Every structure is written in C-alpha cells, then in structure tokens.
Amino acid sequence: AYVDAHNASHPSDEPLVQSSVEFIEKASGIQARHVLDKASILDPDIMTPRFAERHNDQLSIMAEIGVKASRDALTRAGRDVTDVDAVLCAASNMQRAYPAMAVEIQNALDIDGFGFDMNVACSSATFGIKTAADFIGGGAVKAVLMVNPEICSAHLNFTDRDSHFIFGDVATAVIVERADDASDGWEILGTRLKTQFSNNIRNNFGFLNRTD
C-alpha cells in the first residue's frame, strides 16, 4: 500500500518496486519478526509503532518487557530474586538513561544489590555475559541477572524496504552464576572481547538532536 501511494504521488520518479516474502527470505534468511505494535507499523499512513505515554510511577515499556524476561529466566533457572546480587541491562538503545533501566528492573523485581546499564550495540548481550562472568570470577557477586530488552521497531524506517525486516522487538534474560552453585545450564569456558568500528549500521538519533 505504501509503494502504491508513493508511486501515485511521485509519477515522475522511478517507481518503487513492491517488496515480497521471497525477496526478504532470500536476502536475509528471515521468515518472521515479532514487534510490540504491528497494527501501526502496517498502517501505510503511520508505519511506526505507537505506544501510550506512561506516568513516572509506571514502568517504562522497555523495563516492563525486561522484567517479564527476567522472571522467565529466574523460573527456568530455579532461582529466586534473593539469589541475585546484581542486575545488568544490556541493550542497543536505552529508553530511560536515568534512572538506569537496570535499576528500574531491579526495583520492580525487589532485588537487593546493584544494577547498571550497558550499551555495545548489537553485541550488548555478549558483553553483558562477559561482564557478569568477570564480576563472579572476581568474587564480587555470586549471581547476576543479565537482561536485554530491545524495541528496534521504534527507530526503524519502515519505508526502507531493503533493511527494516532485519530487526524486531524482543527481551531476553539469563542468570549467570558460579559453577559450584549451578545445577543446570551452560558452562562459560572462556571469553575474549574484540570490537571494530563500522559505519554500516548507525543510529544518529539521541538527546543531542534537539540542539541541531
């Protein structure tokens, strides 16, 4: 519908070609993505998610999905909030820089100890696991809740049909703890971090945009 409307209103431009399931699957291997608000994204007059503004007394939307993922992780690990010493919230974009989303999630779950946010774009989750393991290896804590809420649909350009399907919305969480305390799960055999700058994927939107 967007392509038809664009071509009708720009008759002198080279017409856009409608996208297809076959193109997306061939280009990316992706067959499905989940988003928090599909209706507004699929509306050709909006094509972006719409979320109701929340009062300061309410959880932010990213903290809310982070809390749900955290509770699932605790249940699957057979752990209680009293077993957790720290909360790391690692995400590519932060809805609420302060107070930190990790502290917001920590408060909602009634976890004692400390929490902080981390941001390393797409690698935030792997850096979060490494950081949690380092805290445990150094003896500072016994168990860390590492949570990754992502609402990528909110900063995508859904008129750019060559790339928008790469990203979706999700929240995941893991419990990282000492091997002596763990009853199940995966063992971290070793870790090594490496970064390399790239301009291929960039987000130029943040609090400084209002000063442009």
Side-chain angles (χ1 to χ4, degrees):
Y2 165 76
V3 169
D4 292 341
H6 180 276
N7 291 341
S9 61
H10 299 80
S12 61
D13 294 348
E14 182 178 348
L16 297 178
V17 179
Q18 290 190 0
S19 189
S20 67
V21 172
E22 292 76 19
F23 164 75
I24 291 174
E25 290 187 1
K26 182 178 180 180
S28 67
I30 296 169
Q31 295 184 333
R33 281 294 190 215
H34 297 277
V35 293
L36 287 176
D37 176 25
K38 184 167 72 172
S40 298
I41 291 172
L42 294 180
D43 186 332
D45 294 325
I46 301 176
M47 297 185 73
T48 191
R50 289 285 185 255
F51 306 126
E53 186 175 1
R54 298 189 173 194
H55 191 270
N56 287 345
D57 292 336
Q58 295 177 285
L59 274 175
S60 65
I61 190 168
M62 290 187 73
E64 179 183 312
I65 63 175
V67 165
K68 185 178 187 305
S70 298
R71 286 180 173 143
D72 287 346
L74 287 164
T75 298
R76 293 187 181 202
R79 293 290 178 258
D80 188 75
V81 293
T82 56
D83 298 317
V84 177
D85 304 306
V87 178
L88 305 188
C89 182
S92 60
N93 286 274
M94 303 295 180
Q95 176 184 3
R96 202 176 264 178
Y98 41 87
M101 289 196 301
V103 179
E104 193 178 3
I105 293 169
Q106 175 194 4
N107 181 68
L109 294 172
D110 197 25
I111 292 175
D112 197 13
F114 65 91
F116 63 87
D117 292 345
M118 316 179 46
N119 170 256
V120 200
C122 296
S123 294
S124 293
T126 53
F127 274 68
I129 291 174
K130 161 70 169 169
T131 303
D134 287 347
F135 271 120
I136 293 168
V141 298
K142 294 182 179 179
V144 178
L145 166 65
M146 201 280 298
V147 57
N148 320 105
E150 298 284 4
I151 307 181
C152 294
S153 64
H155 64 84
L156 292 179
N157 177 7
F158 282 95
T159 67
D160 179 4
R161 293 164 301 111
D162 290 335
S163 64
H164 68 71
F165 53 83
I166 297 174
F167 303 95
D169 301 335
V170 69
T172 61
V174 296
I175 308 298
V176 184
E177 59 186 348
R178 298 188 308 182
D180 292 343
D181 298 331
S183 57
D184 196 7
W186 293 272
E187 182 181 359
I188 299 176
L189 300 179
T191 59
R192 186 171 74 93
L193 300 179
K194 180 178 174 61
T195 54
Q196 182 174 336
F197 180 78
S198 171
N199 239 335
N200 291 336
I201 300 177
R202 171 181 283 275
N203 182 352
N204 286 328
F205 296 96
F207 73 95
L208 285 177
N209 286 109
R210 66 190 296 267
T211 69
D212 291 345

